[in-house]
Amino acid sequence: MDLKERDTGFGPRGSSTALDTVLFVVLVGVAVATLSGATPGGSDAPRRVADETADVVAASTTEVTYTRSGSVTADGEGLSVERRASGTYAELLAAALVDSPTLGREPLTGGSGSFREAVANATRRALPTKGARVQVRATWEAYPGAALGRTITVGEAPPRDADVSVATVTVPSGFRNATRNYDPANPTFATLAGAIARSVVDGLFPPGPTADAMASEGPDRAVVASRYRTASDRLGVRFDGGLRESDVEAANEKLARALTPMVKPGLDDKFESVPAAVRATRVDRVRIVVRAWSP
């Protein structure tokens, strides 16, 4: 499996060799996707198409070209860089989802609409055109029904009366498992929300690559600085004196503390107990559902 990202063009201030911050985590540290077969229902053709499409999404690779933009300061000169990212369709869909999750309906970091559009278009081109109609729906959410998440849908929804066959693909999101080491003396929804928030923030701004980007010149620094500004504005956090590479961990801690009380109310509303919420937390996973039906 050849996972790589290459710079293919640069803004007015020169070149960059650093990997894109979010894609570094998703595309370099990715594990093997898991598949589950199509559900019973539908004719043989849609069932076969659902399985075959899921296989393509999980195992076939593609390459997309997209643009990143940003500025080191809010009123600074904007920089853009054209990049390529390659991986399986599932890996690229996962990267596009966690590039900028939404909190409610607002993006947390801004992210790259160009990247999401490029991945969606590539996935659309891979869908079969004969035998059945197909929709691919990729979802990342902190837990089922969470306000913190994102969905990418490729293809039209099936009619309500359609007999639909379904296959699913599960792929790592690139965020660490928020509950693997969650074992406080007194588990509460607040401490679980804190674990989720830290996992998400450190996934969006992984300390090592983020510090390297902040220490660089050119597009990487501008993109990361813009992402931090968007997140801090969204969460009501101030970074006095601007951000430097040495400030990444402290900045992430501020963002995580601000995100925690925004995650907690959903846990309170949706789960009767903390253990049930822990079992349902899925920060580290992306679920891709393939639906096929007769035209």
Side-chain angles (χ1 to χ4, degrees), residues 79-206:
L79 300 178
S80 293
V81 56
E82 185 181 77
R83 291 180 172 168
R84 291 179 181 172
S86 62
T88 67
Y89 291 95
E91 290 161 355
L92 292 173
L93 283 165
L97 287 169
V98 302
D99 178 41
S100 181
T102 56
L103 183 62
R105 297 187 177 183
E106 296 295 325
L108 201 53
T109 63
S112 172
S114 170
F115 180 48
R116 288 190 297 277
E117 182 178 355
V119 172
N121 287 339
T123 303
R124 186 175 293 108
R125 289 192 294 270
L127 299 183
T129 58
K130 297 180 180 180
R133 301 289 297 276
V134 179
Q135 181 195 67
V136 174
R137 184 179 178 88
T139 302
W140 176 83
E141 52 189 358
Y143 51 83
L148 181 60
R150 186 179 274 279
T151 296
I152 294 175
T153 303
V154 179
E156 297 179 359
R160 291 185 177 182
D161 59 351
D163 197 358
V164 179
S165 293
V166 179
T168 62
V169 178
T170 302
V171 67
S173 67
F175 295 159
R176 71 173 183 269
N177 187 328
T179 58
R180 178 173 295 164
N181 298 316
Y182 177 76
D183 188 25
N186 181 30
T188 65
F189 287 126
T191 57
L192 177 57
I196 291 171
R198 284 189 294 275
S199 174
V200 171
V201 170
D202 282 345
L204 293 172
F205 303 101

Side-chain angles (χ1 to χ4, degrees), residues 13 36 97 119 129 175 222 243 270 274 277:
R13 289 193 176 181
S36 61
L97 287 169
V119 172
T129 58
F175 295 159
L243 275 172
K270 294 184 180 298
V274 176

Side-chain angles (χ1 to χ4, degrees), residues 254-294:
K254 284 186 176 182
L255 293 176
R257 286 201 303 267
L259 180 58
T260 296
M262 299 182 182
V263 173
K264 180 181 176 293
L267 296 171
D268 290 332
D269 293 341
K270 294 184 180 298
F271 300 102
E272 294 183 357
S273 68
V274 176
V278 169
R279 289 192 297 271
T281 297
R282 54 182 65 168
V283 175
D284 58 324
R285 287 170 285 166
V286 165
R287 188 168 186 260
I288 302 170
V289 178
V290 178
R291 299 195 288 177
W293 63 98
S294 295

Side-chain angles (χ1 to χ4, degrees), residues 198-281:
R198 284 189 294 275
S199 174
V200 171
V201 170
D202 282 345
L204 293 172
F205 303 101
T210 301
D212 290 344
M214 292 296 291
S216 69
E217 296 294 333
D220 280 353
R221 184 183 178 199
V223 169
V224 171
S226 292
R227 288 168 60 82
Y228 264 125
R229 280 199 305 277
T230 302
S232 63
D233 289 346
R234 180 74 178 91
L235 298 175
V237 173
R238 292 186 62 185
F239 298 124
D240 296 329
L243 275 172
R244 297 177 295 276
E245 62 270 21
S246 59
D247 299 332
V248 169
E249 292 191 9
N252 285 5
E253 182 60 29
K254 284 186 176 182
L255 293 176
R257 286 201 303 267
L259 180 58
T260 296
M262 299 182 182
V263 173
K264 180 181 176 293
L267 296 171
D268 290 332
D269 293 341
K270 294 184 180 298
F271 300 102
E272 294 183 357
S273 68
V274 176
V278 169
R279 289 192 297 271
T281 297

